[in-house]
Structures are given as C-alpha cells and as structure tokens.
Amino acid sequence: MKVVTSEQMREIDRRTIEEFYIDGRVLMERAGISVVLALEEEFEDIKNLRFLVFCGAGNNGGDGFVVARTLLDYTDDVKVILVGNAEKMSQETLSNYLAAKKIGVEIIEIKSEDDLRIVEKELKDVDVVIDSMLGIGLSGALRGNIPQLVELINSHGKYVVAVDVPTGIDSDNGKIYNTAIKADLTITFGLPKLGLFIHPARGYVGRLKIASIGIPFSLRNSETIKRELITKNTVKKLLPFRPSWGHKGTFGKVLIVSGSKKYTGAPVLVSLGALRSGCGLVYTAVPEPYNTVVTGRVPEAVCLPVKTKAGFFDESSVSQILQIADKVDSVVIGPGMSTESETLEFFRILLEKLREKLVVLDADALNIISKDKSILKDLPNAVLTPHLGEFSRLIGKNISEINERIVDEAEGFASENAVVLVLKGSTTIITDGKRTFLNVTGNTGLSKGGSGDVLSGMIGSFMAQGLSPIEAAICGVYIHGLSAELYSTNKSERTMIAEEIAENLSEVFNFIEKE
C-alpha cells in the first residue's frame, strides 16, 4: 500500500477533482460517511452513544460536519464544537456546515477562553469524541485555543476518533510540536500519510483504518509515489516458490561470517535465522575453537573452524573463508565479529573479494565501516541493517538530528552509497534510495540482544533463495516482526528471547501462506 506526504495527497485530491470530474463535495461526503461506517463497525450500540464532534474551518472540519449530520440517522445526541471562523471556510466546508445546522445539529462556537468551560462540561457528558479540527493541515505548533482543546480532550479519557490525522501530528514527519490528540482510532482517507507511522506520532494514532472515498486507483497506485507500507499481501507475493522436486541446493546456500572469542552466541542466532527461513545449506565460519558453540547448538549448520592468532578474524582468515564463499549464494558478515584492529583489516580485504556477492552487513561490520566509510564503495549487492545508534555512527549525526527527518536521512544514505538500507526500529525503514518501504510489525519482544542477528540470517537466507536485496529485506523484516507478534498472542512479549524468533517462524509462514 502506497504511503504519501500531505503535498502528495493534496495533489491527488486536485487531480481527482480536475481530471476525473469527481466534485470535492463528493469526496467530503464519502469521507464523512466512511467515518460513520467505521464507528458502526467499532460499536454495536452506536444508537445509545453520545457524540461530540470537534470541527475546524478547513476541509477536515467539513468532513466532521458530514460525520455529525450522518450520525443524526442513528442518534439525536450529536453536538459540534466549531473551532475557527465560519467566514473563512471553503465552499465545500461551508455547505456542509450549513447543512448540519439546517438538519438540526447543535453547533457551539469557540470564540474565547471563557468558552472552554462549556467544552469541558460537554466532554463530561459524551461517550465518543470525533477530532476533525486540522487533518493534514498542520504547519508548526498548534495555535489559538486548539492546544487547550486538545489537552481537555486527552484529559477526559473519552474514546477518541481522529478524522484523517489526529490534530497536532505533522503528517509528513511524525513530529508533535507542542501537543496532539491521542486517538483510539484514526480513519485516514485514500492513502495513509507518512507521519502516521513515525514516532512519536505513531503512538498517538491508535488503530489505523484506511477508508476509500472514491479516489481513482490509478492515482492511488501511481509510480510517482515511491513509499509503501509492507503488508501481508506484499510478503506473500514475494516469498520464494518451493518446488516439490527441490533439494538443498535448490533453496540456496548461505555463508555466515560471525563470532569471536568475545561473542560466541551470535553465530548460533544468525544460523538459526537463516535455516528457519528456508535456505538449503548454511556454512558458518567462526574463529577456532569457538566454532564448537555452533556445532553444539545448531548441528544442521556446516560450521567452519577458522584458524586465527587470538580468537578474532584476522588477515590470515580471508583465504580460508574464500574457499567456501565461491560455493554460496549469499554472505552474512558481522554479528559478534568484534572490532579489533586485526578484524578491521580482515573485513576490508574480505569485502573487496566479495564485491559481486549478495552480502548482508550487520553489527560489528557496520561499526567497522563507521570508522572507515571508504569500505562502502562499490557494493552493488549489499544490505546494511543498522539500528539507530549504528546509523548515527555511520553518517556522523546524532540521533535527535536524524529523528528530525529520519526517512529522508535513510533514503539519502542508501542513494549516496548505492546500497539497500534497513534502518531498524519500531517502524523499520527499508530503502535503496529510489523506493522506500515501511514496516510496522513487531513489539517490544524484539528489544533483546540477538534479535538483529536472527534478522540478518533471515535476510541472507531469502537472498540465497533468489530474492533481490530489497525483496529479501522486505520479507525478512516483516516476518521477523510478525514472529514477535504471534509469539505474544499466547505468551508475554516480555519473556521472548532472540532464539524464539527463529523457532516461531513455522507459525509465521503458515499464517502468511495458508490463511
């Protein structure tokens, strides 16, 4: 599903009206009705509920007037709080304001701070609040009486439904400048807005529904929209086909370069992620004697003991690893590898020899690159999987600066370095600089050491099975997050450990492919 900025959405609305002859009032009517239909789905006893609709003077307010007018078909207990000047309304909003007034909706205008006491009294007597004040119309901090109204709504603990975008959220970047509506349900129109998926705004959206309001499919699916939300359908279409006649060579071979005397568990987790994701063979290269940890835990992996001087990969390790590298389809490098000086030189030489290979670079590989960014040159088939701290070191900016424009930063880095970037977080951003995919599966169960190791193995596995780097990243990230979600249906996400992400993948694949 495509994801848009406010500017893109306005352009889509304009073209819908001008090129497809669908009147703006029709779009507004359908938007308002779609909110009421969502309320019908949400509440069995909608006729017994009391509604308070907050409407601004812009087009989002026009949607709200349609909501209020339509709700009168269900209940007489509907009131509108008008925030703004009726004289500044667009023609479409004004016509719906007048229609609501004519049909009998009580409209209370907020003109001064004294009127806020009236709002507080009304809030005490309602069940559901509809926020239709600003939508995508926010530009900077909330002004006038709106911040106080937002705080009143939030403090009264009512069920809050946001129309298109909760008031106070920047729909382009997820910022909250001073305060914002904390919605239980957000119904957005046509296409979801980028800012709804980015923190802190994502924590204010509640459950998100996307309503169709008559925007032509050709506009909603335009190639000019380069950002998408990853869905189950996206992944189902990408998952590698498994022919019944296949054998272990059919399903790809992965080489994992991982571990050191400091970190012996990482290669186990990467290997599990790769094997459980469907590849046929996993070769795991680990400094000797620490390879025995892998053989003891994952006998299905072909574990390669690499002779080293001090328990860390060094320059002498390169030739040993290259003997296997020619036989495999993808390589995962980095988890638990350490950043010792000898390992840095090893990594530089190894990567130079693997320029044409499909590679996943994670953890210590990224920490080494952050010390010498020239290593990144000419890696046409690389997937980098940093979390925010690692990304901060890679680009030399602090985390707060990155968060100001996180999607743009990710896209810029991927484009400049010609790599696929997987910027891990509660919303993970996957981009090659030309296309960007947002993933929202997952929960706090993933906030444990080792979960990223499992993910790197999964991505490497999908590449070995024939997916392109960006396709493998999409599948890996979505399925990794979904594993945590399905785990938490029967167990507490607090207790999940990284190994269980891999163990749960069978349930995840069944959910995606068979349901």
Side-chain angles (χ1 to χ4, degrees):
M1 179 179 289
K2 301 281 189 175
V3 176
V4 291
T5 63
S6 57
E7 183 181 347
Q8 287 173 320
M9 195 67 233
R10 289 189 186 97
E11 177 64 10
I12 288 170
D13 286 341
R14 183 194 67 75
R15 291 185 63 191
T16 299
I17 295 165
E18 294 180 8
E19 296 178 22
F20 290 85
Y21 309 105
I22 300 172
D23 194 278
R25 278 172 289 198
V26 172
L27 296 176
M28 193 172 282
E29 186 75 11
R30 291 191 63 165
I33 290 171
S34 71
V35 172
V36 177
L37 292 175
L39 290 170
E40 270 193 299
E41 291 177 357
E42 203 69 15
F43 301 106
E44 292 180 6
D45 58 344
I46 188 171
K47 292 182 179 179
N48 298 316
L49 297 176
R50 298 161 296 175
F51 294 90
L52 189 61
V53 186
F54 286 76
C55 294
N59 284 348
N60 190 247
D63 300 335
F65 289 122
V66 176
V67 172
R69 170 165 52 82
T70 308
L71 280 172
L72 282 184
D73 293 338
Y74 300 83
T75 174
D76 292 331
D77 212 332
V78 182
K79 293 181 182 179
V80 166
I81 303 295
L82 174 57
V83 185
N85 190 341
E87 294 177 3
K88 295 183 179 180
M89 291 177 179
S90 69
Q91 192 58 49
E92 294 90 347
T93 300
L94 180 62
S95 65
N96 280 300
Y97 162 71
L98 294 172
K101 202 170 185 180
K102 183 71 175 177
I103 209 168
V105 177
E106 183 181 346
I107 298 175
I108 303 166
E109 285 194 57
I110 302 301
K111 295 180 178 177
S112 68
E113 283 195 25
D114 292 338
D115 295 329
L116 295 176
R117 286 195 291 271
I118 300 171
V119 174
E120 188 162 18
K121 179 180 178 301
E122 294 292 343
L123 280 168
K124 290 176 182 176
D125 296 330
V126 299
D127 302 299
V128 180
V129 172
I130 313 289
D131 164 33
S132 198
M133 288 186 277
L134 283 180
I136 63 173
L138 180 71
S139 56
L142 296 173
R143 297 184 293 274
N145 292 323
I146 296 181
Q148 291 148 292
L149 289 170
V150 168
E151 291 302 325
L152 279 174
I153 293 168
N154 287 344
S155 65
H156 276 76
K158 305 297 180 178
Y159 189 93
V160 179
V161 179
V163 176
D164 207 16
V165 174
T167 294
I169 284 176
D170 190 311
S171 58
D172 291 337
N173 55 33
K175 284 184 186 177
I176 294 168
Y177 295 98
N178 48 353
T179 187
I181 289 288
K182 195 163 182 59
D184 297 284
L185 173 67
T186 297
I187 300 140
T188 198
F189 305 131
L191 290 169
K193 285 62 183 182
L194 179 63
L196 297 176
F197 302 111
I198 301 172
H199 281 286
R202 186 176 158 192
Y204 287 70
V205 171
R207 289 191 303 110
L208 180 65
K209 290 189 176 183
I210 295 98
S212 176
I213 61 171
I215 293 167
F217 177 77
S218 60
L219 294 183
R220 287 185 283 118
N221 202 45
S222 170
E223 289 298 317
T224 62
I225 304 171
K226 301 297 186 183
R227 293 164 176 154
E228 294 185 38
L229 178 69
I230 303 171
T231 65
K232 176 181 166 184
N233 232 15
T234 312
V235 173
K236 189 172 184 177
K237 290 175 183 176
L238 289 176
L239 281 178
F241 175 63
R242 295 183 71 81
S244 58
W245 47 262
H247 50 81
K248 61 188 177 185
T250 308
F251 301 118
K253 303 170 187 176
V254 180
L255 169 61
I256 295 164
V257 182
S258 173
S260 64
K261 71 177 182 181
K262 283 185 177 179
Y263 309 106
T264 58
V268 171
L269 297 172
V270 185
S271 301
L272 285 171
L275 285 164
R276 294 286 191 186
S277 298
C279 66
L281 272 171
V282 168
Y283 297 94
T284 308
V286 184
E288 194 179 38
Y290 310 104
N291 58 293
T292 56
V293 177
V294 178
T295 54
R297 292 290 305 281
V298 194
E300 298 86 352
V302 181
C303 196
L304 310 170
V306 178
K307 296 185 188 303
T308 64
K309 293 173 184 175
F312 301 102
F313 290 112
D314 56 41
E315 200 170 334
S316 68
S317 310
V318 175
S319 58
Q320 299 173 65
I321 290 170
L322 289 177
Q323 290 175 24
I324 299 298
D326 287 340
K327 302 177 183 179
V328 302
D329 303 292
S330 68
V331 184
V332 181
I333 310 174
M337 193 171 67
S338 87
T339 57
E340 305 297 317
S341 57
E342 58 263 46
T343 305
L344 192 154
E345 192 57 30
F346 153 80
F347 178 61
R348 187 200 314 277
I349 297 168
L350 179 65
L351 209 54
E352 181 63 40
K353 300 289 186 181
L354 298 177
R355 290 285 177 198
E356 300 306 314
K357 279 284 182 186
L358 296 167
V359 296
V360 180
L361 304 178
D362 184 35
D364 285 328
L366 302 174
N367 291 326
I368 291 172
I369 290 169
S370 67
K371 296 177 181 179
D372 183 1
K373 296 181 180 61
S374 67
I375 296 173
L376 265 186
K377 287 182 181 176
D378 302 321
L379 288 176
N381 302 303
V383 178
L384 277 64
T385 60
H387 54 60
L388 202 50
E390 290 164 338
F391 188 59
S392 170
R393 291 190 287 274
L394 277 172
I395 67 173
K397 294 183 180 180
N398 62 51
I399 290 174
S400 60
E401 190 179 355
I402 293 168
N403 278 330
E404 286 289 307
R405 46 194 307 275
I406 189 167
V407 177
D408 291 329
E409 292 284 6
E411 290 170 340
F413 177 86
S415 178
E416 181 182 345
N417 294 286
V419 297
V420 171
L421 179 73
V422 176
L423 182 50
K424 298 179 292 193
S426 54
T427 297
T428 292
I429 301 163
I430 302 165
T431 181
D432 61 3
K434 299 171 186 172
R435 297 172 298 163
T436 298
F437 297 84
L438 305 176
N439 182 71
V440 294
T441 61
N443 56 34
T444 63
L446 298 175
S447 303
K448 298 274 180 74
S451 64
D453 300 339
V454 175
L455 175 61
S456 63
M458 292 171 67
I459 295 172
S461 178
F462 286 128
M463 287 202 296
Q465 293 172 68
L467 297 189
S468 71
I470 198 162
E471 290 171 341
I474 289 167
C475 288
V477 169
Y478 180 89
I479 291 168
H480 184 260
L482 192 55
S483 178
E485 289 185 8
L486 292 182
Y487 177 94
S488 68
T489 57
N490 297 312
K491 302 173 184 177
S492 170
E493 61 193 64
R494 294 174 185 270
T495 67
M496 190 177 76
I497 57 176
E499 188 174 347
E500 290 172 305
I501 301 168
E503 290 174 356
N504 201 41
L505 290 180
S506 181
E507 184 181 351
V508 177
F509 285 118
N510 280 341
F511 175 80
I512 293 171
E513 296 181 287
K514 294 183 180 179
E515 188 174 284

